Amino acid sequence: MPTLHTPPHRRSLVLLLAALGTVLGVVAFARPAAAHNTFVSSDPADGAAVAASPTRIAMIFGSPVPLDTASVQVIDAAGARTEAASLTHGPTGDTEVVALLPTLSTGQVTVRWRLVGPDGHPLTGRIVFTVASAVTTTTSAAVTGGYAGPTTLAVPPTTLPAVSADDLDEDFSTPGPLRWMLRYGAYLAIMTLIGIVLTDALVWPGSAKLPFARVLMRRSLLVVAATAALQLVVLASDVSGRAPWGALGSLDTAGRTSAGTALVIRLLLVGCAALLLQRPQLAPADVHWSTLGFTGMGLMGTWAFAGHSASQRWPLVGVPLDVLHHTAAALWIGSLAMVGIVAIRALPASDLALVVPRLGRGAATAVAVIVGTGLAQSIRLVGNPGRLLDGAHGRYLLIKIAMMGAMLILAHSNRQRVNQGFGRPSSGREPGPRSLGQLRRGILVEFGLGLVILAITAALVVSPPATSGL
């Protein structure tokens, strides 16, 4: 059992500098908001009737469209399906996508577009119009910003087997529950790693050196690596529209998206953290654990870049807020688990009299950060409160707020137990078995609520907020 001592100021200072460096880093690399994209209009428009077969279709979106993640398929009235081989941005900018069309048969035409947003969410839609004649004509300039004249297709489109229009819905899409499981697993594992390091630095010195903690950190790194690799494959599937096992050829394209880049960086950081855990002798103890904490917060930064914090409005605010919010949550939940599950059973009462009050002070600080950053993030993501219930994101947010309220009430009750059971460390008061049992149960219930809140947070990430498309 590690000897209990006052947390070294040097390690706490280095951790603080690491946190500041992480925040400055994510601010420096944060991009302008791209948001969950939304379809605005097209030419030909959905439901329109055109006199002759158009040579192209122009689509306007609410946010910039990365062409390497976009695809367009066309199915004409005869059932001939064509995949556009060349997509370009239109004259109005990168929010306009132009796809060249083959000569279309007379009758109803269905155009199916697909793209992946900057936060890795797949988006699809349909445009249906009717062609009166197979004679080709140029589209109007209403949407395309004054485009005139036909465009010659340098690369012929790919002709696919004839299908019905309904078959366009058969593009593979990874089920939502599986996406949630991958995000929850990654989230929980990253927070476990950070929580153990922060608990060691601020609440229970030496706890990270326990065999239990070291094994847990190694397993957490394995989970982070596995989920990151699987999320990359899912992202490749979203880009290609194929099942994950048939989408490996799109990994390179997926890795160039914002979400994909964050996942690749996450894998690299996992390698660094694994080396630090495997070779602790490479640096002095304080430097070793502080560097591991810095790496862990870097992992948290990749979470921010792969989600709404970077893809929605005000990313220069959202990304650092996200890192601070979840780092504080990692301290709160991680220290609850380490103290409630291990310390109360393993440490003598004299040591607990030092550790448990630290837990209370650390939790109080973490709660203040969580509430402040959470409020700011809610305003950023929801925008108009009247739109809160417009989608699943707002409903999940309300559930999270309610759960946070319950957790705060329980945390206050636990803090009262700490004050009653331990008093001030200088008082020498030691709690009895009954007080310890009540405190342990209260901490474990608080920890369980924390796990539920993390699950809701993972669901928030996979659902579009009310400000999508702004």
Side-chain angles (χ1 to χ4, degrees):
M1 179 69 61
T3 302
L4 190 67
H5 55 84
T6 302
H9 295 293
R10 179 182 174 189
R11 189 187 308 177
S12 301
L13 178 61
V14 174
L15 276 173
L16 179 61
L17 292 175
L20 180 61
T22 302
V23 171
L24 292 177
V26 296
V27 167
F29 287 100
R31 303 177 184 178
H36 284 268
N37 222 329
T38 53
F39 174 78
V40 176
S41 61
S42 67
D43 184 18
D46 185 42
V50 296
S53 174
T55 60
R56 61 203 288 276
I57 183 169
M59 295 168 285
I60 297 290
F61 293 87
S63 302
V65 177
L67 292 178
D68 55 356
T69 71
S71 63
V72 174
Q73 288 186 352
V74 184
I75 182 168
D76 65 14
R81 182 163 59 109
T82 303
E83 184 166 351
S86 177
L87 301 179
T88 60
H89 285 133
T92 61
D94 55 7
T95 60
E96 179 182 5
V97 177
V98 177
L100 301 175
L101 302 176
T103 300
L104 300 171
S105 304
T106 302
Q108 181 174 285
V109 177
T110 300
V111 175
R112 172 73 181 274
W113 57 265
R114 182 184 184 92
L115 58 90
V116 176
D119 49 11
H121 290 280
L123 305 163
T124 61
R126 279 187 178 192
I127 302 163
V128 180
F129 59 91
T130 303
V131 176
S133 169
V135 177
T136 59
T137 184
T138 60
T139 58
S140 70
V143 172
T144 59
Y147 172 83
T151 301
T152 302
L153 184 61
V155 180
T158 302
T159 302
L160 302 172
V163 293
S164 67
D166 290 338
D167 288 337
L168 288 176
D169 288 329
E170 293 182 356
D171 285 348
F172 186 90
S173 181
T174 303
L178 180 56
R179 295 177 189 272
W180 171 83
M181 288 176 60
L182 290 175
R183 290 187 181 268
Y184 185 41
Y187 193 29
L188 190 58
I190 292 172
M191 294 191 72
T192 297
L193 178 68
I194 298 174
I196 291 175
V197 174
L198 291 179
T199 300
D200 181 271
L202 304 173
V203 177
W204 180 11
S207 57
K209 298 178 182 178
L210 293 170
F212 165 81
R214 295 184 70 86
V215 169
L216 192 57
M217 285 191 286
R218 290 192 182 97
R219 291 180 178 176
S220 295
L221 287 175
L222 286 175
V223 172
V224 175
T227 53
L230 289 173
Q231 284 178 288
L232 264 177
V233 174
V234 169
L235 188 55
S237 172
D238 292 333
V239 169
S240 66
R242 302 184 182 93
W245 49 89
L248 299 182
S250 299
L251 280 174
D252 181 62
T253 301
R256 292 196 299 269
T257 65
S258 298
T261 300
L263 291 171
V264 172
I265 294 174
R266 186 179 298 177
L267 287 169
L268 294 175
L269 289 173
V270 166
C272 294
L275 179 63
L276 289 170
L277 283 177
Q278 190 67 27
R279 304 284 184 179
Q281 70 276 13
L282 292 178
D286 287 350
V287 176
H288 168 80
W289 291 109
S290 299
T291 305
L292 188 61
F294 177 77
T295 304
M297 281 184 278
L299 289 171
M300 194 64 78
T302 66
W303 175 270
F305 272 115
H308 298 144
S309 293
S311 68
Q312 294 296 301
R313 61 180 182 174
W314 312 341
L316 293 178
V317 175
V319 171
L321 282 179
D322 190 279
V323 174
L324 292 175
H325 182 85
H326 293 112
T327 300
L331 171 60
W332 186 11
I333 296 174
S335 59
L336 285 174
M338 292 295 290
V339 175
I341 297 175
V342 183
I344 287 182
R345 287 185 171 180
L347 291 179
S350 58
D351 284 348
L352 280 176
L354 295 174
V355 170
V356 175
R358 285 176 188 161
L359 170 64
R361 292 191 295 271
T365 303
V367 166
V369 174
I370 291 169
V371 172
T373 55
L375 179 61
Q377 289 285 61
S378 298
I379 294 172
R380 186 181 71 90
L381 291 176
V382 175
N384 184 355
R387 300 182 59 193
L388 186 62
L389 297 178
D390 286 355
H393 186 277
R395 292 190 287 270
Y396 283 132
L397 182 59
L398 286 179
I399 295 173
K400 180 179 178 179
I401 292 172
M403 295 295 295
M404 278 294 300
M407 195 171 178
L408 289 174
I409 293 172
L410 185 57
H412 176 73
S413 176
N414 286 336
R415 190 171 177 82
Q416 293 297 107
R417 290 193 184 99
V418 170
N419 294 335
Q420 293 172 4
F422 291 89
R424 295 183 179 274
S426 59
S427 68
R429 185 191 305 173
E430 295 184 0
R434 181 178 178 183
S435 297
L436 284 177
Q438 291 177 341
L439 178 61
R440 184 173 185 272
R441 286 191 294 272
I443 289 175
L444 291 180
V445 172
E446 189 177 341
F447 171 68
L449 284 175
L451 294 182
V452 175
I453 292 172
L454 293 187
I456 297 170
T457 302
L460 280 167
V461 175
V462 300
S463 58
T467 53
S468 294
L470 291 178

